[in-house]
Coordinates of all heavy atoms in Angstrom, one line a residue:
N299 N 18.6 19.8 21.0 CA 17.2 20.2 21.3 C 17.1 20.7 22.7 O 17.6 20.0 23.6 CB 16.3 19.0 21.1 CG 16.4 18.4 19.7 OD1 15.9 19.0 18.7 ND2 17.0 17.3 19.5
F300 N 16.5 21.8 22.9 CA 16.5 22.5 24.2 C 15.1 22.8 24.7 O 14.2 23.3 23.9 CB 17.3 23.7 24.2 CG 18.8 23.5 23.8 CD1 19.1 23.5 22.5 CD2 19.7 23.2 24.8 CE1 20.5 23.2 22.1 CE2 21.0 23.0 24.4 CZ 21.4 23.0 23.1
K301 N 14.8 22.6 26.0 CA 13.6 23.1 26.6 C 13.9 24.5 27.1 O 14.8 24.7 28.0 CB 13.2 22.2 27.8 CG 12.0 22.7 28.6 CD 11.7 21.8 29.8 CE 10.5 22.3 30.6 NZ 10.3 21.4 31.8
V302 N 13.2 25.5 26.5 CA 13.6 26.9 26.7 C 12.4 27.7 27.2 O 11.3 27.5 26.8 CB 14.0 27.5 25.4 CG1 14.7 28.9 25.6 CG2 15.0 26.6 24.6
Y303 N 12.7 28.5 28.2 CA 11.6 29.3 28.8 C 11.3 30.5 27.9 O 12.3 31.1 27.3 CB 12.0 29.9 30.2 CG 12.2 28.8 31.2 CD1 12.7 29.1 32.5 CD2 11.8 27.5 31.0 CE1 12.8 28.1 33.5 CE2 11.9 26.5 32.0 CZ 12.4 26.8 33.2 OH 12.5 25.9 34.2
F304 N 10.1 30.8 27.6 CA 9.7 32.0 26.8 C 10.4 33.2 27.4 O 10.5 33.4 28.6 CB 8.2 32.2 26.8 CG 7.4 31.1 26.1 CD1 6.2 30.8 26.6 CD2 8.0 30.4 25.1 CE1 5.4 29.8 26.0 CE2 7.3 29.4 24.5 CZ 6.0 29.0 24.9
G305 N 10.9 34.1 26.5 CA 11.6 35.3 27.0 C 13.1 35.2 27.0 O 13.8 36.2 27.0
T306 N 13.6 34.0 26.9 CA 15.1 33.8 26.9 C 15.7 34.4 25.7 O 15.2 34.2 24.6 CB 15.4 32.2 27.0 OG1 14.8 31.7 28.2 CG2 16.9 32.0 27.0
N307 N 16.8 35.0 25.8 CA 17.6 35.6 24.7 C 18.1 34.4 23.8 O 18.7 33.5 24.3 CB 18.7 36.4 25.2 CG 19.4 37.2 24.2 OD1 19.9 36.7 23.2 ND2 19.4 38.5 24.3
Q308 N 17.8 34.6 22.5 CA 18.3 33.5 21.6 C 19.8 33.4 21.5 O 20.3 32.3 21.1 CB 17.6 33.7 20.2 CG 16.1 33.5 20.2 CD 15.5 33.4 18.9 OE1 16.2 33.0 17.9 NE2 14.2 33.6 18.7
R309 N 20.5 34.4 21.9 CA 22.0 34.3 21.9 C 22.4 33.3 22.9 O 23.3 32.5 22.7 CB 22.6 35.7 22.2 CG 24.1 35.7 22.0 CD 24.7 37.1 22.3 NE 24.2 38.0 21.4 CZ 24.8 38.2 20.2 NH1 25.9 37.5 19.8 NH2 24.4 39.2 19.4
E310 N 21.7 33.3 24.1 CA 22.0 32.3 25.1 C 21.7 30.9 24.6 O 22.4 29.9 25.0 CB 21.1 32.5 26.4 CG 21.4 33.8 27.1 CD 20.6 34.0 28.4 OE1 20.2 33.0 29.0 OE2 20.3 35.1 28.7
L311 N 20.7 30.7 23.8 CA 20.3 29.4 23.3 C 21.4 28.9 22.3 O 21.8 27.7 22.4 CB 19.0 29.5 22.5 CG 18.4 28.2 22.0 CD1 18.3 27.1 23.0 CD2 17.0 28.6 21.5
I312 N 22.0 29.8 21.5 CA 23.0 29.4 20.6 C 24.3 29.1 21.4 O 25.0 28.1 21.1 CB 23.3 30.5 19.6 CG1 22.1 30.5 18.6 CG2 24.6 30.2 18.8 CD1 22.2 31.6 17.6
E313 N 24.6 29.8 22.5 CA 25.7 29.5 23.3 C 25.6 28.2 24.0 O 26.6 27.4 24.1 CB 25.9 30.6 24.4 CG 26.3 32.0 23.8 CD 26.3 33.1 24.8 OE1 25.8 32.8 26.0 OE2 26.7 34.2 24.5
A314 N 24.4 27.8 24.3 CA 24.1 26.5 24.9 C 24.4 25.3 24.0 O 24.7 24.2 24.4 CB 22.7 26.4 25.4
A315 N 24.4 25.6 22.7 CA 24.7 24.7 21.6 C 26.1 24.8 21.2 O 26.5 24.4 20.1 CB 23.7 24.8 20.4
G316 N 27.0 25.4 22.0 CA 28.4 25.4 21.7 C 28.8 26.7 21.0 O 30.0 26.9 20.8
G317 N 27.9 27.5 20.7 CA 28.2 28.8 19.9 C 28.3 28.6 18.4 O 28.3 27.4 18.0
L318 N 28.5 29.7 17.7 CA 28.6 29.6 16.3 C 30.0 29.1 15.9 O 31.0 29.5 16.5 CB 28.3 31.0 15.7 CG 26.9 31.5 15.9 CD1 26.8 32.9 15.3 CD2 25.8 30.6 15.2
V319 N 30.0 28.3 14.8 CA 31.3 28.0 14.2 C 31.9 29.3 13.6 O 31.2 30.1 13.1 CB 31.1 26.9 13.1 CG1 32.4 26.7 12.3 CG2 30.5 25.6 13.7
E320 N 33.2 29.4 13.7 CA 33.9 30.6 13.2 C 33.6 30.8 11.8 O 33.7 29.9 11.0 CB 35.4 30.5 13.5 CG 36.1 31.8 13.1 CD 37.6 31.8 13.5 OE1 38.0 30.8 14.1 OE2 38.3 32.7 13.1
G321 N 33.2 32.0 11.4 CA 32.9 32.3 10.0 C 31.5 32.0 9.5 O 31.2 32.2 8.4
T322 N 30.6 31.6 10.5 CA 29.2 31.3 10.1 C 28.6 32.6 9.5 O 28.7 33.7 10.1 CB 28.4 30.8 11.3 OG1 28.9 29.6 11.7 CG2 26.9 30.7 11.0
E323 N 27.9 32.4 8.4 CA 27.4 33.5 7.6 C 25.9 33.8 7.8 O 25.5 34.9 7.6 CB 27.7 33.3 6.1 CG 29.2 33.3 5.8 CD 29.5 33.1 4.3 OE1 28.5 32.8 3.6 OE2 30.7 33.2 3.9
K324 N 25.1 32.8 8.1 CA 23.7 33.0 8.2 C 23.1 32.3 9.4 O 23.4 31.1 9.6 CB 23.0 32.6 6.9 CG 21.5 32.8 6.9 CD 20.8 32.4 5.6 CE 20.8 33.5 4.6 NZ 20.0 33.2 3.4
V325 N 22.1 33.0 10.1 CA 21.3 32.3 11.1 C 19.9 32.5 10.8 O 19.5 33.7 10.5 CB 21.7 32.9 12.5 CG1 20.8 32.3 13.6 CG2 23.1 32.8 12.9
I326 N 19.1 31.5 10.8 CA 17.7 31.5 10.3 C 16.8 31.2 11.5 O 17.0 30.2 12.2 CB 17.5 30.4 9.2 CG1 18.4 30.7 8.0 CG2 16.0 30.4 8.8 CD1 18.4 29.6 7.0
A327 N 15.8 32.0 11.6 CA 14.7 31.8 12.6 C 13.7 30.8 12.0 O 13.1 31.1 11.0 CB 14.0 33.1 13.0
G328 N 13.6 29.6 12.5 CA 12.8 28.6 11.9 C 13.6 27.7 11.0 O 14.8 27.6 11.1
G329 N 13.0 27.0 10.0 CA 13.7 26.1 9.1 C 14.2 26.9 7.9 O 13.7 28.0 7.6
P330 N 15.0 26.2 7.1 CA 15.6 26.9 5.9 C 14.6 27.1 4.8 O 14.9 28.0 3.9 CB 16.7 25.9 5.5 CG 16.3 24.6 6.0 CD 15.6 24.9 7.3
M331 N 13.5 26.4 4.7 CA 12.6 26.5 3.6 C 11.6 27.7 3.9 O 11.3 28.5 3.0 CB 11.8 25.3 3.4 CG 12.6 24.1 3.0 SD 13.4 24.3 1.4 CE 12.0 24.1 0.3
M332 N 11.1 27.8 5.1 CA 10.1 28.9 5.4 C 10.5 29.9 6.4 O 9.8 30.8 6.7 CB 8.7 28.3 5.8 CG 8.1 27.5 4.6 SD 6.4 27.0 5.0 CE 5.5 28.5 4.8
G333 N 11.7 29.7 7.0 CA 12.2 30.6 8.0 C 12.7 31.9 7.4 O 12.7 32.1 6.1

Side-chain angles (χ1 to χ4, degrees):
N299 302 288
F300 300 88
K301 177 182 176 182
V302 191
Y303 295 172
F304 296 148
T306 301
N307 190 298
Q308 292 196 21
R309 188 180 295 276
E310 291 182 32
L311 186 49
I312 290 176
E313 289 171 357
L318 297 176
V319 173
E320 187 176 351
T322 292
E323 296 179 352
K324 178 179 270 188
V325 178
I326 301 169
M331 296 297 286
M332 293 190 74

